[in-house]
Amino acid sequence: MKLKIITFGLALLSMASCKKILDPEPENLKTLDQMYNDANFAQGFLMNAYRTIPTYYDNSDYATDDAVTNLLNNTYLQIATGSWTASNNPTSVWNQSYEGTQYINLFLENSNKVKWAADPEASKLFNLRMRGEAFGLRALYLYFLLRNHGGIASNGQLTGVPILTEYQSGQANYNIPRASFDACVKQIHKDLDSAELYLPVEYNDIATGVAVPDRFKPYTQNRETYNRVMGQTARLLFNGLIAKAFRARVALLAASPAFQNSSNTTTWANAADYAGAVIDYKGGVNGLPANGWTYFTNTAEIDAVGSGVNPPEMLWRENIVTNDGTQEGLHFPPTLFGSGNMNPTQNLVDAFPMANGYPINHVSANYNAAAPYANRDPRFARYIIYDGSTAGVSNAVIRTGSLSGTDNGINTRSTSTRTGYYMKKRLRMDVNRNPNSLTGKNHYNPRIRYTEMYLDYAEAANEAYGPSGTGTRSYSAYDVIKAIRKRSLNLNTDPYLEECRADQVKMRELIRNERRIELCFESFRFWDLRRWKVDLPKLNEITRGLDVNAGVYTPFNVETRNYQSYMYYGPIPNSEVLKYNQLIQNQGWR
């Protein structure tokens, strides 16, 4: 296993001999012993683990039926069209995850010796909190490793990844076999147990010492001490609620068809229960944020966010970035001075229902192929720029037809759309990319949205109990999907949902489609298709576009996918398999 020697600042951390890290020791390099009396240095190990958390917007959508890109050398485009190998794998999180785990394990093995604060109560509480963060982050990294690299190994067994719970020194044995998939899931839950034990559900200030949660009273009953450590200044760090969300994520993965196996003990009921715990905390079905589906363009809300506070839709997010227009520069159409990188497909456009809630191919849809954008689900116009829609600070009309005479037309230039569509989701329309009047706005990237948790529950509950069954909760998959659709469709009655209510299979397809729409361009689709183990023809569905010229709508094929049957599971990096004979590759990968 490739575990790079960890670097922190000017310190080179190689536990090759005792506690001295580098010999001879230049003045500007720190030893491990200095960690014990330098709280900032000690916390730095944990902060490095935060810095390598996989990005939320990784643009893996380019390799799905939802989007293509005009970046013809993009690695996701390459893997979708036949170049995905164990040596060429942009989905790999192997190195960054094990490096993050190395930082975490080193931290956990030494944090009890650190003087975190002069005040003994605060010092104990700081250690407790940061150990909770560390356990949570270790679970996070193992989840991403399992999702991206777990699968059916060449020996035919459902297999996970190597589990590391101790720091690996320079003399350690790196030739570690992969643990079973189930063992990895259990290790994640074990670390999340520790995280929830050591952390508050959320970081909030309290008004009196009496309000210190009971499990923290053995450490302090002082309001100022509690707020210093567990109060609002710690917001955006890993907390107990995030641990609950990752429980739901890993259970949904493990319960999915691609990982169902006699050696895997996770059930759909488990996944529903864990997602339900988050929904209950949020306030049940009625707690679904009403404006969650437009989180990226709730401009007044975004501009008012501060002090680590989350908007209602965000369970966890990254820091606010001010005066920023990076996403808009990458994805605006060319006439708005963007590079138009993310091109939604006609495949995705067709997934949006009509405003009456019916799929466009339903007998009751009232879909008109001669006016395909009329009377569609409001999410369509919010998420996708199509021919004739407006965008940008000036509400410019965007024409995408190949004969439109504008740079926005299909394949007109290297930054033009390849499908007849541009992405609108994730972007603020009040950003101006004109070099003569460049203005950015506040942005943040999500890490976990509440809507994801609601969708997780709906999927798991439908599989476990059917559309209307509630299991251990007071609401069903039907109830959750009804709430999700109502906030955007705003229907008094939803006849298509009622039609699906009586049929678990139809409800499954509706839930999957709602997930596709609600989470489009957020890097879920690539992994959802695989954990569902959709038929290979679906995985290889040709991406399509629509050319609009003078009122004539001409469909065309854009890109052929070339996935093989073994590509439901990602590979172990080939370089690691070559080095370590205990590390078995997944089936089919070379």
Side-chain angles (χ1 to χ4, degrees):
M1 172 183 320
K2 186 175 182 180
L3 296 175
K4 294 182 181 178
I5 300 301
I6 294 174
T7 314
F8 174 64
L10 294 176
L12 187 64
L13 301 179
S14 168
M15 302 290 289
S17 59
C18 294
K19 295 178 182 178
K20 196 157 187 176
I21 299 171
L22 194 62
D23 190 19
E25 181 188 271
E27 189 173 327
N28 63 344
L29 296 182
K30 294 190 175 184
T31 66
L32 190 62
D33 286 339
Q34 289 174 271
M35 174 183 184
Y36 306 144
N37 293 303
D38 187 342
N40 289 329
F41 179 56
Q43 190 177 16
F45 296 103
L46 197 55
M47 290 301 101
N48 270 316
Y50 276 105
R51 291 188 186 103
T52 52
I53 293 174
T55 183
Y56 188 79
Y57 296 137
D58 68 9
N59 296 326
S60 58
D61 310 80
Y62 296 155
T64 74
D65 53 356
D66 277 1
V68 300
T69 181
N70 58 23
L71 296 168
L72 301 184
N73 62 348
N74 180 268
T75 52
Y76 282 111
L77 182 153
Q78 291 172 0
I79 70 169
T81 54
S83 298
W84 194 9
T85 69
S87 300
N88 177 37
N89 181 19
T91 72
S92 178
V93 294
W94 192 270
N95 289 341
Q96 71 189 80
S97 296
Y98 280 119
E99 288 167 21
T101 301
Q102 280 277 74
Y103 280 114
I104 291 164
N105 288 340
L106 186 62
F107 177 87
L108 286 170
E109 289 172 13
N110 291 278
S111 75
N112 289 331
K113 303 174 187 176
V114 176
K115 183 179 180 181
W116 291 108
D119 174 13
E121 288 189 352
S123 185
K124 291 178 182 178
L125 208 57
F126 270 122
N127 185 49
L128 191 74
R129 190 200 79 198
M130 283 188 265
R131 288 184 70 81
E133 292 175 63
F135 282 117
L137 288 171
R138 191 166 71 181
L140 175 155
Y141 280 115
L142 188 50
Y143 160 77
F144 282 111
L145 282 164
L146 196 60
R147 185 195 70 173
N148 292 32
H149 300 284
I152 304 298
S154 57
N155 61 6
Q157 301 299 309
L158 177 63
T159 312
V161 295
I163 297 174
L164 297 184
T165 57
E166 296 179 352
Y167 178 77
Q168 302 295 293
S169 72
Q171 279 68 50
N173 175 21
Y174 295 141
N175 196 8
I176 303 171
R178 297 167 63 183
S180 72
F181 186 92
D182 194 56
C184 290
V185 171
K186 286 182 167 61
Q187 180 60 47
I188 292 171
H189 285 305
K190 181 179 179 181
D191 279 345
L192 293 175
D193 287 343
S194 296
E196 289 198 70
L197 179 65
Y198 296 156
L199 297 172
V201 179
E202 293 192 86
Y203 297 109
N204 292 309
D205 285 350
I206 58 173
T208 66
V210 176
V212 172
D214 288 343
R215 59 201 169 94
F216 298 120
K217 284 180 178 175
Y219 301 93
T220 188
Q221 298 183 40
N222 181 278
R223 177 183 70 87
E224 289 81 6
T225 301
Y226 180 86
N227 288 346
R228 176 185 174 187
V229 181
M230 301 289 194
Q232 65 181 25
T233 57
R235 287 172 177 163
L236 302 186
L237 299 176
F238 202 102
N239 61 28
L241 184 59
I242 297 164
K244 292 180 188 298
F246 267 95
R247 243 185 240 290
R249 276 186 171 181
V250 72
L252 189 77
L253 178 76
S256 296
F259 300 102
Q260 276 305 292
N261 182 285
S262 60
S263 65
N264 174 15
T265 58
T266 302
T267 66
W268 284 115
N270 296 145
D273 200 38
Y274 295 143
V278 177
I279 293 174
D280 285 351
Y281 179 81
K282 187 63 173 172
V285 174
N286 293 331
L288 181 72
N291 65 350
W293 63 291
T294 56
Y295 71 93
F296 56 96
T297 193
N298 299 333
T299 55
E301 180 180 89
I302 297 169
D303 291 341
V305 167
S307 302
V309 174
N310 277 330
E313 173 63 12
M314 291 302 131
L315 191 152
W316 194 21
R317 65 172 175 85
E318 295 183 17
N319 284 318
I320 289 284
V321 180
T322 60
N323 192 31
D324 179 57
T326 304
Q327 286 283 327
E328 291 74 17
L330 292 172
H331 301 295
F332 266 173
T335 58
L336 298 180
F337 303 93
S339 296
N341 290 167
M342 181 79 76
N343 305 157
T345 61
Q346 187 65 40
N347 314 55
L348 174 60
V349 170
D350 288 347
F352 286 86
M354 301 300 291
N356 62 12
Y358 283 103
I360 63 170
N361 59 358
H362 194 282
V363 66
S364 300
N366 298 320
Y367 173 72
N368 182 3
Y373 308 138
N375 301 315
R376 298 296 291 273
D377 181 329
R379 289 174 292 189
F380 168 60
R382 287 294 190 112
Y383 294 173
I384 293 175
I385 296 172
Y386 55 91
D387 183 80
S389 62
T390 59
V393 292
S394 62
N395 286 320
V397 176
I398 305 299
R399 293 297 176 186
T400 65
S402 60
L403 303 179
S404 64
T406 78
D407 286 344
N408 299 326
I410 295 169
N411 294 324
T412 300
R413 53 187 297 181
S414 62
T415 54
S416 302
T417 178
R418 297 172 60 207
T419 63
Y421 301 102
Y422 294 92
M423 179 180 72
K424 193 173 188 178
K425 193 180 186 183
R426 293 167 39 179
L427 311 180
R428 287 187 60 157
M429 293 297 109
D430 53 351
V431 165
N432 190 345
R433 295 298 302 173
N434 187 328
N436 296 322
S437 54
L438 191 66
T439 56
K441 296 292 181 178
N442 289 358
H443 290 74
Y444 64 82
N445 288 341
R447 282 197 168 126
I448 304 173
R449 289 175 54 202
Y450 275 107
T451 296
E452 177 199 341
M453 295 292 105
Y454 282 76
L455 289 163
D456 286 0
Y457 178 84
E459 180 181 340
N462 182 60
E463 299 299 335
Y465 314 118
S468 299
T470 58
T472 61
R473 306 293 160 182
S474 61
Y475 41 84
S476 64
Y478 162 84
D479 295 325
V480 170
I481 293 301
K482 182 177 181 179
I484 289 173
R485 282 166 64 90
K486 184 173 178 56
R487 70 177 181 179
S488 58
L489 291 167
N490 198 27
L491 295 172
N492 291 325
T493 60
D494 191 342
Y496 183 67
L497 175 63
E498 297 304 321
E499 183 180 313
C500 295
R501 187 178 188 177
D503 188 323
Q504 185 184 41
V505 174
K506 290 185 73 170
M507 181 62 82
R508 176 186 301 135
E509 293 308 309
L510 177 60
I511 291 168
R512 289 183 178 184
N513 197 65
E514 286 296 313
R515 184 178 181 91
R516 180 181 191 178
I517 292 170
E518 287 281 341
L519 301 180
C520 65
F521 314 127
E522 295 181 54
S523 312
F524 285 88
R525 183 71 172 170
F526 184 88
W527 300 109
D528 282 344
L529 291 171
R530 282 162 175 77
R531 68 179 178 82
W532 292 331
K533 209 165 187 181
V534 298
D535 292 341
L536 192 60
K538 176 61 178 174
L539 210 58
N540 282 321
E541 184 177 304
I542 295 173
T543 55
R544 296 175 284 111
L546 191 66
D547 195 1
V548 184
N549 292 296
V552 177
Y553 297 86
T554 306
F556 63 98
N557 291 341
V558 178
E559 195 169 273
T560 301
R561 303 309 198 196
N562 189 21
Y563 293 114
Q564 305 303 312
S565 59
Y566 59 84
M567 292 179 176
Y568 290 103
Y569 311 102
I572 305 297
N574 191 53
S575 58
E576 306 305 292
V577 174
L578 291 175
K579 284 188 292 187
Y580 305 116
N581 61 10
Q582 292 293 313
L583 201 57
I584 302 174
Q585 182 60 275
N586 283 334
Q587 282 183 354
W589 290 100
R590 298 289 185 270

